[in-house]
Amino acid sequence: MPFVRIMTGGRYSEMQKKQISDILHQALTETFAVPAQDRFHFFECFAAGDRYVDRHYLSPGRTEGAILFNIVAGKPRSDEQKAALYRQLAAQLNEKMGINGGDVMVVIQFTAAEDWSFSGGIRYQP
């Protein structure tokens, strides 16, 4: 049950954002044990003066097209699953959209089941 904030500059079209979401969701289902119907992706697009990103910190180089995926997940995943997600997401964004791997940053945070309410004010219970 990941909740994902996808933060970008303003350069991606609605069609491109849908494609980014599709690529992310495929990577999550294939590497992160996420059910196919479990998709909660929210885009936040920032103007140039609303985001400041170091172009070279732990990266071969970022452009104005840099994307930050902030994934909040409801159960822990193994180091292997996390590494597979990072690899597949960057590779597929590059292959299908020409987005350079240096422009792909991922941050994963884990929470417990009781930290979620999916609707109606009811606490999630697995």
Side-chain angles (χ1 to χ4, degrees):
M1 57 184 151
F3 168 83
V4 185
R5 293 173 61 199
I6 304 165
M7 292 167 269
T8 71
R11 75 174 260 199
Y12 294 104
S13 70
E14 294 303 312
M15 186 182 338
Q16 289 172 313
K17 288 189 268 187
K18 171 75 166 82
Q19 190 174 8
I20 291 167
S21 177
D22 289 345
I23 290 167
L24 170 64
H25 193 62
Q26 181 177 358
L28 287 167
T29 59
E30 292 179 3
T31 66
F32 221 60
V34 171
Q37 70 279 13
D38 186 353
R39 185 191 298 215
F40 297 91
H41 301 169
F42 293 83
F43 279 85
E44 295 179 272
C45 300
F46 296 93
D50 292 334
R51 78 179 188 152
Y52 297 91
V53 177
D54 189 290
R55 293 191 183 274
H56 299 288
Y57 184 75
L58 300 177
S59 171
R62 292 181 184 87
T63 69
E64 288 302 313
I67 305 171
L68 169 59
F69 296 89
N70 180 202
I71 301 169
V72 179
K75 67 178 180 180
R77 301 316 199 277
S78 69
D79 288 345
E80 293 79 18
Q81 286 175 296
K82 289 183 268 187
L85 173 64
Y86 304 148
R87 282 191 307 273
Q88 182 171 330
L89 179 59
Q92 290 297 301
L93 287 169
N94 183 263
E95 180 181 316
K96 294 180 178 177
M97 297 185 69
I99 296 172
N100 185 289
D103 278 336
V104 179
M105 182 175 173
V106 180
V107 176
I108 300 173
Q109 299 167 288
F110 295 105
T111 61
E114 63 269 13
D115 296 326
W116 296 77
S117 172
F118 285 94
S119 69
I122 301 166
R123 188 183 93 185
Y124 175 70
Q125 296 182 37

